[in-house]
Amino acid sequence: RAAEWQLDQPAWSGRLRITAKGSTAFIKLEDKTSGELFAQAPVEQFPGIAVEGVTDSSRYFVIRIEDGNGRRAFIGVGFVDRGDAFDFNVALQDHFKWVRQQSELARQAQDLEQGPKLDLGFKEGQTIKLNIANMKKKEGGTGSTRPRPAGPGGLSLLPPPPGGKSGSGERPAPLSTPSQLPGTPITDSLLSWPQPTAAPAADVWGDFAKASG
């Protein structure tokens, strides 16, 4: 009980800091001016015997200090402000919460290393089969030539040349479409005329009107 202490005449006053090294927290009592260490209490577990709260106040605690040579002592410490006492508690709780998380992560990593490992590699001589559906060769693709449609009488009809100039520098005359004369039906014989004789250089395609037959 803090009421049994001589709270009006403390034996020492100064500042308190909490540091950590690994999983151990250290409560350090230091001179508030020079920072000289007065005493420290290593805390390996919280709540635990190293830090205990009193029964009649939330601002006072009993801590176990050590001098590093095996000697220990229990002393009572208290805070003037209640908010400082709250921060003291929270700092210790946060540290040991982090310690538990690190321990859990290490345990999970160890379980994964010891567990069976999934081998996704191919064994010697092992093969796999891929079934790819709807893979049809595109019609008219590279390497295949579609035949040109033949005109009536077996004569292949070629499209007119592009609008550029020919090798002789003259534009060829357009191919005229046969017209139907009055009383003369167009038959296959009209489209199967013999090839015209070579026309003068001025008319590359020839004159269909002067063709014989």
Side-chain angles (χ1 to χ4, degrees):
R1 291 175 56 86
E4 300 174 358
W5 302 346
Q6 298 178 358
L7 302 179
D8 56 341
Q9 296 178 354
W12 178 89
S13 62
R15 70 183 185 188
L16 182 147
R17 290 195 307 134
I18 297 179
T19 62
K21 182 178 181 181
S23 61
T24 304
F26 293 89
I27 301 174
K28 296 186 177 183
L29 304 177
E30 302 173 344
D31 185 273
K32 59 184 176 181
T33 303
S34 64
E36 182 182 359
L37 181 66
F38 172 73
Q40 74 174 2
V43 183
E44 298 179 353
Q45 184 179 358
F46 182 79
I49 193 173
V51 180
E52 293 183 279
V54 298
T55 59
D56 58 343
S57 176
S58 62
R59 296 187 292 117
Y60 292 86
F61 303 87
V62 176
I63 64 174
R64 185 181 64 184
I65 59 175
E66 299 181 8
D67 64 353
N69 296 323
R71 293 186 300 177
R72 300 176 178 177
F74 290 91
I75 65 173
V77 297
F79 298 91
V80 177
D81 185 80
R82 194 176 302 274
D84 293 337
F86 176 80
D87 293 341
F88 173 77
N89 259 315
V90 171
L92 291 173
Q93 291 173 1
D94 287 348
H95 170 73
F96 286 99
K97 181 180 179 181
W98 174 82
V99 171
R100 289 190 297 270
Q101 290 175 346
Q102 295 300 312
S103 177
E104 181 67 18
L105 291 175
R107 186 186 64 81
Q108 292 178 0
Q110 185 177 5
D111 292 343
L112 290 176
E113 292 179 358
Q114 295 178 354
K117 297 182 179 180
L118 183 62
D119 186 9
L120 300 178
F122 282 100
K123 304 299 187 295
E124 183 177 358
Q126 185 178 4
T127 60
I128 61 174
K129 180 180 180 181
L130 299 178
N131 185 14
I132 304 177
N134 299 326
M135 293 293 292
K136 294 183 179 180
K137 187 176 180 181
K138 185 177 179 181
E139 183 180 359
T142 305
S144 63
T145 303
R146 300 181 62 182
R148 297 180 180 274
L155 177 63
S156 297
L157 300 179
L158 300 178
K165 295 183 178 180
S166 61
S168 61
E170 297 181 358
R171 185 183 302 273
L175 181 63
S176 59
T177 305
S179 58
Q180 183 177 4
L181 299 179
T184 306
I186 296 179
T187 60
D188 290 347
S189 61
L190 295 177
L191 299 178
S192 303
W193 290 342
Q195 295 294 332
T197 57
D203 192 353
V204 179
W205 295 95
D207 188 354
F208 282 86
K210 298 180 180 181
S212 59

